[in-house]
Amino acid sequence: MASDSKEVVKEFPFFKVYKDGRLEFLMPPVEKIPPSDDPDTGVRSNDVVISLDPPVSARIFLPRIPDPARKLPLLFYTHGGGFCTQSAFSRKYHDLVSTVAAEAGAIAVSVEYGLFPSRPIPACYDDSWAALRWVAGHAGGDGAEPWLNEHADFGRVFMGGESAGGNIPHTLAARVGSIGLPQGVRVVGIVLVHPFFGGTVDDQMWMHMCPTNGGLSDLRLKPAREDLARLGCEKVLVFVAEKDHLREAGIGCYEELKKSGWRGSAELVENVGEEHCFHLRDPKYEKAVELRDKIVSFIKHN
């Protein structure tokens, strides 16, 4: 009926749901850019297909190689966007990951995972896990991607992301702790920038996008203490923004991790006076540079 097509039954930060099931997204479509070589930084990028069914791909960034005999740390990155928008191939994420790769001297893999509604949650977690396993499959030097075979130090793997993309590495680290990765692969640390966890107004949106959700106690929303205790990394760096509605959830995850008995070290950094993912809006802003420098230092000095 015509009235059903106009009646909104649910309204979330990223989209509206109409009575007839139609979705209306509140943000414009994301424009994607091709991989490229940056003559200023020397970073080269290349796209790879990890899986055709389900469709999973990634953009790999290779910085300048001053010493071909020296292996580089590896950053595995998952973009934000509320599990329903954005892309590893968008301008903002291409530029962010390329800059971190250049400044940290790290080879980076930025994952293009499935998004709601075409691929509801848990596709984002499962695709990212498949991508991480694919990356780890290069540890023996005989994988499909030459850049990873030749240049990646699999004893220095880092994972990171912001917002929704900050929730995903945490879930992956829990899987690493319980399932493991191939021999020779060591996840040193994870970086969670303004991460999404349960306990906010966004919970209902996440559950709508995840038909198989376990309610508000779902472990991806609210990690169990035993899962935190066996988190499969040695260091965790958490950023929260003072004016971010996700601030308390991020602090709560950090505090629960500290109480869990996990034997690693965790650090909490607050971006005073800032809003959610402010660093993506103006990469040259002084505090955005400070945030990025902290990530770079975390990679270079661990």
Side-chain angles (χ1 to χ4, degrees):
M1 295 177 63
S3 60
D4 288 351
S5 67
K6 296 181 180 179
E7 183 180 348
V8 176
V9 293
K10 294 180 182 179
E11 187 164 356
F12 301 118
F14 285 83
F15 57 89
K16 297 177 182 179
V17 183
Y18 288 85
K19 190 173 182 179
D20 63 0
R22 180 171 58 91
L23 300 174
E24 178 187 354
F25 282 85
L26 306 178
M27 297 182 181
V30 173
E31 182 179 350
K32 300 179 182 181
I33 64 171
S36 59
D37 295 347
D38 188 328
D40 295 327
T41 65
V43 174
R44 302 160 62 195
S45 58
N46 181 44
D47 291 347
V48 295
V49 174
I50 292 170
S51 168
L52 292 175
D53 186 19
V56 184
S57 56
R59 179 159 294 175
I60 303 180
F61 298 83
L62 183 70
R64 282 196 177 104
I65 310 293
D67 180 3
R70 179 175 173 268
K71 298 284 188 174
L72 307 176
L74 188 150
L75 173 63
F76 183 89
Y77 205 83
T78 46
H79 68 80
F83 305 99
C84 61
T85 186
Q86 269 304 326
S87 168
F89 307 148
S90 69
R91 167 65 69 185
K92 70 167 63 175
Y93 282 106
H94 175 98
D95 289 351
L96 173 65
V97 180
S98 179
T99 300
V100 172
E103 295 178 353
I107 186 168
V109 179
S110 187
V111 184
E112 184 77 343
Y113 55 82
L115 300 173
F116 176 86
S118 60
R119 301 199 50 233
I121 299 171
C124 55
Y125 301 106
D126 294 342
D127 290 357
S128 298
W129 177 246
L132 181 61
R133 295 277 303 176
W134 179 86
V135 169
H138 292 74
D142 56 356
E145 173 50 52
W147 284 358
L148 294 175
N149 290 332
E150 296 167 13
H151 301 293
D153 181 351
F154 289 92
R156 290 187 293 161
V157 175
F158 296 83
M159 298 189 293
E162 60 275 293
S163 194
N167 175 273
I168 294 171
H170 189 276
T171 299
L172 297 183
R175 292 192 188 185
V176 172
S178 59
I179 300 173
L181 288 171
Q183 187 174 1
V185 181
R186 169 175 161 251
V187 179
V188 177
I190 60 175
V191 181
L192 314 180
V193 181
H194 310 160
F196 164 76
F197 287 105
T200 75
V201 294
D202 292 342
D203 292 0
Q204 295 300 322
M205 182 177 73
W206 186 91
M207 289 193 291
H208 183 86
M209 293 187 289
C210 182
T212 58
N213 71 77
L216 293 175
S217 59
D218 191 291
L219 297 179
R220 293 159 295 190
L221 286 177
K222 188 177 181 181
R225 186 165 289 189
E226 55 268 28
D227 287 338
L228 293 171
R230 59 173 178 260
L231 206 63
C233 61
E234 301 165 22
K235 297 176 183 292
V236 174
L237 174 61
V238 182
F239 291 89
V240 296
E242 183 182 12
K243 297 180 180 180
D244 185 2
H245 72 288
L246 299 182
R247 175 182 179 272
E248 296 303 322
I251 293 173
C253 180
Y254 165 80
E255 292 177 343
E256 285 299 310
L257 179 61
K258 297 282 283 186
K259 296 174 186 175
S260 70
W262 176 65
R263 295 184 179 182
S265 61
E267 181 181 359
L268 179 70
V269 176
E270 179 157 16
N271 305 125
V272 177
E274 300 302 333
E275 298 180 348
H276 184 68
C277 290
F278 70 94
H279 61 294
L280 293 173
R281 289 189 285 276
D282 182 4
K284 295 182 180 180
Y285 171 48
E286 179 183 1
K287 291 189 177 181
V289 174
E290 289 176 3
L291 185 154
R292 195 170 61 245
D293 286 348
K294 183 71 175 178
I295 296 173
V296 168
S297 177
F298 185 73
I299 296 171
K300 290 181 74 172
H301 298 131
N302 282 304

